[in-house]
Amino acid sequence: MPGEAGEITGFQAQAEELKDRLRANAFFVGLSQKSQNKLINGHSAYHLPLEEIAARAGVELKVFRWLYRLFSSQVHGLPLAFYRMGEQNRGQGVYSETEESYTKLCIAFAISLFAHASDEMKVLFPSANDGRFQILSSTLAWQSVRG
């Protein structure tokens, strides 16, 4: 394809620039060499286990594990998943109460994570807290999901 080699070269240059920026980051430098290598080489997208990230975001461990299993089963196609699609009119591109419930759950959970992240950003960067971003507290958002 025309220009493909140029695009690859551009992506490689951009990757090196991003790696250099990461290597200059004080937090990144504070990680163990093993963790730095794992992250810089793309072997992991997270410097902490997902369970710990969830706990820091205010998500109970049992809730995280349940949601992770539910969301994973929706993303990763397994033979039995196709067998059961006909039940509850799922996966057919038409309205289904089950699909709507899953969508509501995903949106509510995402809102709770965004709210918690917003709260954390306000703590980390107080100068950026000028009132432009008003999100419910993470506690209220997640309680509305579960309640």
Side-chain angles (χ1 to χ4, degrees), residues 99-109 145:
E99 298 287 352
E100 182 180 359
S101 297
Y102 287 161
T103 301
K104 287 178 181 178
L105 176 65
C106 290
I107 291 170
F109 184 57
V145 172

Side-chain angles (χ1 to χ4, degrees), residues 2-47:
E4 190 173 302
E7 286 183 16
I8 291 172
T9 303
F11 288 142
Q12 289 171 335
Q14 185 179 29
E16 283 307 313
E17 176 191 338
L18 293 171
K19 287 179 182 182
D20 289 341
R21 287 175 55 191
L22 192 55
R23 287 183 190 108
N25 180 284
F27 180 82
F28 183 77
V29 171
L31 296 174
S32 71
Q33 191 62 47
K34 182 179 178 182
S35 293
Q36 288 182 31
N37 290 339
K38 185 172 75 168
L39 294 167
I40 207 88
N41 291 322
H43 297 294
S44 177
Y46 314 104
H47 78 281

Side-chain angles (χ1 to χ4, degrees), residues 1-144:
M1 298 188 131
E4 190 173 302
E7 286 183 16
I8 291 172
T9 303
F11 288 142
Q12 289 171 335
Q14 185 179 29
E16 283 307 313
E17 176 191 338
L18 293 171
K19 287 179 182 182
D20 289 341
R21 287 175 55 191
L22 192 55
R23 287 183 190 108
N25 180 284
F27 180 82
F28 183 77
V29 171
L31 296 174
S32 71
Q33 191 62 47
K34 182 179 178 182
S35 293
Q36 288 182 31
N37 290 339
K38 185 172 75 168
L39 294 167
I40 207 88
N41 291 322
H43 297 294
S44 177
Y46 314 104
H47 78 281
L48 297 171
L50 290 176
E51 283 99 351
E52 188 172 338
I53 294 171
R56 289 182 180 199
V59 180
E60 296 173 38
L61 185 58
K62 67 180 183 177
V63 171
F64 168 78
R65 287 182 176 156
W66 181 83
L67 287 170
Y68 189 82
R69 177 179 255 173
L70 174 69
F71 294 156
S72 291
S73 70
Q74 301 304 311
V75 172
H76 305 292
L78 303 170
L80 190 55
F82 290 104
Y83 176 75
R84 297 189 63 193
M85 273 177 39
E87 296 175 15
Q88 303 161 337
N89 292 325
R90 294 174 34 206
Q92 299 176 5
V94 295
Y95 174 80
S96 152
E97 285 185 24
T98 303
E99 298 287 352
E100 182 180 359
S101 297
Y102 287 161
T103 301
K104 287 178 181 178
L105 176 65
C106 290
I107 291 170
F109 184 57
I111 288 170
S112 73
L113 294 176
F114 285 134
H116 188 83
S118 175
D119 294 344
E120 290 293 315
M121 293 300 283
K122 289 174 186 176
V123 171
L124 292 171
F125 304 101
S127 62
N129 188 13
D130 62 6
R132 289 182 290 170
F133 305 104
Q134 296 297 321
I135 299 178
L136 293 173
S137 77
S138 55
T139 304
L140 290 175
W142 186 237
Q143 283 179 348
S144 68

